[in-house]
Amino acid sequence: MRIRALVSGLALMFAAFQVLAASEVQSVRLWRAPDNTRLVFDLSGPVEHKVFTLTAPNRIVIDVEGGNASKPFEQLALENTPISGLRSGKFDNNTLRLVIDLKAQVSPKSFTLPPNQQYGHRLVVDLFDQDADSPAKLPVTTTPQTPATPVSPTLPAIKLPPLPSSKRDIVIAIDAGHGGEDPGAIGPGKVYEKNVVLQISKELQRQINAEKGFRAELVRTGDYFIPLRKRTEIARQKGADLFVSIHADAAPRSSAYGASVFALSDRGATSETARWLADSENRSDLIGGAGSVSLGEDQMLAGVLLDLSMTASLASSLNVGQKVLSKMGGITRLHKSRVEQAGFMVLKSPDIPSILVETGFITNPSEARKLQTSAHQQALARSIHTGVRQFFHENPPPGTYVAWLRDSGKIASGPREHVVRSGESLALLAQRYQVSLGSLRTANKLKGDVIKVGQTLQIPATTLASQP
């Protein structure tokens, strides 16, 4: 009798433990991207699960061991998705069955995520579109290009001739940081970085597309997550001549303020702030669920980065970055007066000059308020656009409309700035910019040829055919 009572008691305790250990599905969220749909189930604890598909009708089944759903799922916006419905029920005493009813073919992928600063345990189900012509497929749209020329405070407006059919546009890939499951930094009043930077990115796209010879493409067009490496792949697919990643990050102290511009460094961060921000951005893949990321695990990439420091790509990144930073300094306070360098993963594209623009610290209450206003967003976009425009007027890629304008004397090569880096000499810079050593001394009021690392030099204009 005692043994029977003991066994019965242990069985009751085990059952009670199972109930306590059960994980509750607390809510479900949906994000739609151009080529996939993400469902995120918020959980009260970790779970084991398995996924399989059924036909007639088409549906995806997710069995969650030890799962419970005590309340019905909230209504989700299923328009423009392959999902027609979502339901749940107990398959057996220890299994919660989630059923996703489909109206289009998809390929599912699922994984769990541990808690982070924003969320608890999560079960993520990604549904990748199979048919490009599926009604669930969202179009990726860009703002139509107009022949208007923007007014710039530093570059005069120019009446441009018609675009020759053989000359291409300069393509700028604009990457709005974070998105979807990854909100980025969160400011006072729950201001999400992902929303602010998308608004600035769309405004920057509008301004760039208003200028003949330039085309801006958004890497992220809506509120959805894109892994960091995929962002550079998208830029490359769009034929980008420049990659600009827009952010509004957090800082350990709410008093930190100011805009910054970063280029890639393969030798570590140039400041503690740069290192902290880079580590924060690189963690976004873990937040969004792209898998484990290690900056040092890819030896081939490390070799490419080593070579990159000796190529024009990094030099161009620093050049355009300094121009953008200089223009931003005219409309907002700067955190640092020079382009910083850090190991941002999103900048690791060896063939595309890339910069990351921190428009301000969203954790600073004053900057958070400004970053939400359309006037400040327009001013920030204008300063970035002006810096990018100046860089490409001075360094147009071969075969582009802007290169044709410059070669035919339609635009002049104006004065430029160069920040001296280690190993550079005045003679080397004169050769690089195709100006005489004497004119370089005169433009900078130099008595000799001694220059210092970090010094900003004025590069005199090159001689071109006069405008008609």
Side-chain angles (χ1 to χ4, degrees):
M1 292 291 293
R2 287 183 178 180
I3 295 176
R4 185 178 301 173
L6 180 60
V7 171
S8 177
L10 288 173
L12 289 173
M13 289 177 62
F14 181 74
F17 175 79
Q18 283 188 309
V19 171
L20 290 173
S23 182
E24 187 77 19
V25 179
Q26 299 171 325
S27 63
V28 61
R29 292 170 286 129
L30 181 145
W31 314 97
R32 176 62 192 174
D35 61 353
N36 70 85
T37 302
R38 169 166 287 192
L39 284 167
V40 180
F41 297 91
D42 293 303
L43 308 169
S44 62
V47 297
E48 296 289 336
H49 75 285
K50 60 181 180 181
V51 176
F52 56 94
T53 60
L54 295 174
T55 58
N58 291 329
R59 57 204 186 276
I60 293 172
V61 178
I62 308 150
D63 282 345
V64 182
E65 294 182 20
N68 278 324
S70 59
K71 58 182 180 179
F73 295 133
E74 55 266 42
Q75 293 295 317
L76 297 175
L78 301 179
E79 298 81 7
N80 295 320
T81 77
I83 302 172
S84 60
L86 177 65
R87 48 201 169 90
S88 67
K90 294 294 288 187
F91 179 70
D92 57 37
N93 290 336
N94 194 45
T95 306
L96 173 68
R97 173 159 289 184
L98 306 171
V99 180
I100 304 171
D101 295 310
L102 301 173
K103 56 187 177 184
Q105 292 286 337
V106 296
S107 296
K109 176 185 176 182
S110 67
F111 51 92
T112 57
L113 290 173
N116 57 37
Q117 292 179 341
Q118 287 84 27
Y119 303 108
H121 290 276
R122 287 153 292 159
L123 169 61
V124 180
V125 181
D126 284 330
L127 308 177
F128 293 93
D129 300 341
Q130 286 189 348
D131 184 1
D133 298 324
S134 168
K137 182 78 170 177
L138 282 183
V140 180
T141 59
T142 57
T143 305
Q145 185 174 338
T146 63
T149 301
V151 178
S152 166
T154 57
L155 297 173
I158 302 166
K159 186 176 181 180
L160 301 178
L163 177 65
S165 58
S166 60
K167 306 301 179 184
R168 69 173 181 85
D169 290 336
I170 292 173
V171 180
I172 314 298
I174 306 172
D175 170 47
H178 308 281
E181 176 71 0
D182 174 19
I186 302 176
K190 291 189 176 181
V191 181
Y192 289 168
E193 178 186 2
K194 66 174 184 177
N195 297 331
V196 169
V197 298
L198 183 59
Q199 292 165 355
I200 295 172
S201 296
K202 287 182 175 180
E203 173 60 23
L204 178 58
Q205 182 196 35
R206 185 193 68 79
Q207 292 186 20
I208 290 175
N209 282 348
E211 181 169 6
K212 184 180 286 296
F214 288 83
R215 187 175 82 253
E217 296 279 0
L218 291 177
V219 172
R220 175 169 72 88
T221 60
D223 186 14
Y224 50 87
F225 177 79
I226 304 177
L228 295 174
R229 292 188 189 277
K230 181 66 174 178
R231 293 172 187 258
T232 56
E233 290 177 15
I234 292 172
R236 187 171 292 106
Q237 291 167 3
K238 294 179 180 294
D241 297 289
L242 176 68
F243 180 89
V244 181
S245 190
I246 307 294
H247 291 260
D249 219 315
R253 295 171 315 197
S254 62
S255 58
Y257 66 86
S260 307
V261 176
F262 293 84
L264 179 65
S265 171
D266 61 334
R267 295 182 296 274
T270 54
S271 72
E272 285 300 317
T273 300
R275 185 178 296 112
W276 189 89
L277 288 173
D279 290 344
S280 174
E281 292 302 332
N282 292 337
R283 282 198 299 269
S284 70
D285 260 357
L286 301 179
I287 294 172
S292 178
V293 174
S294 171
L295 293 178
E297 68 183 2
D298 192 336
Q299 296 301 316
M300 182 178 295
L301 181 58
V304 171
L305 294 177
L306 186 62
D307 293 338
L308 181 61
S309 66
M310 303 297 294
T311 65
S313 180
L314 182 54
S316 295
S317 300
L318 292 167
N319 191 344
V320 67
Q322 191 61 47
K323 286 176 170 54
V324 167
L325 188 65
S326 175
K327 303 308 176 187
M328 292 182 73
I331 58 100
T332 190
R333 295 183 296 180
L334 298 180
H335 188 66
K336 291 289 179 65
S337 60
R338 64 184 178 87
V339 177
E340 296 195 85
Q341 294 177 254
F344 288 103
M345 190 171 295
V346 78
L347 299 181
K348 293 185 176 182
S349 181
D351 55 338
I352 306 174
S354 305
I355 60 173
L356 186 146
V357 178
E358 292 285 0
T359 56
F361 286 98
I362 205 167
T363 45
N364 181 299
S366 176
E367 290 203 324
R369 285 192 296 270
K370 287 189 356 181
L371 286 167
Q372 294 177 80
T373 66
S374 58
H376 191 61
Q377 290 175 2
Q378 290 171 8
L380 285 170
R382 191 178 304 113
S383 65
I384 298 169
H385 174 207
T386 303
V388 168
R389 181 176 186 248
Q390 181 182 353
F391 170 78
F392 279 114
H393 274 196
E394 296 171 3
N395 308 276
T400 62
Y401 176 60
V402 176
W404 175 79
L405 285 176
R406 178 174 171 175
D407 294 343
S408 58
K410 304 299 182 183
I411 57 175
S413 174
R416 291 161 283 182
E417 292 182 348
H418 178 88
V419 179
V420 179
R421 302 179 66 203
S422 177
E424 293 179 333
S425 66
L426 200 66
L428 178 66
L429 295 177
Q431 182 180 14
R432 179 184 301 174
Y433 287 102
Q434 298 181 345
V435 297
S436 69
L437 196 56
S439 65
L440 198 53
R441 290 194 200 100
T442 301
N444 293 278
K445 299 179 181 179
L446 298 175
K447 294 181 180 180
D449 294 346
V450 178
I451 54 177
K452 298 179 180 179
V453 173
Q455 181 179 354
T456 300
L457 297 178
Q458 301 297 319
I459 309 298
T462 55
T463 302
L464 288 177
S466 59
Q467 295 186 38

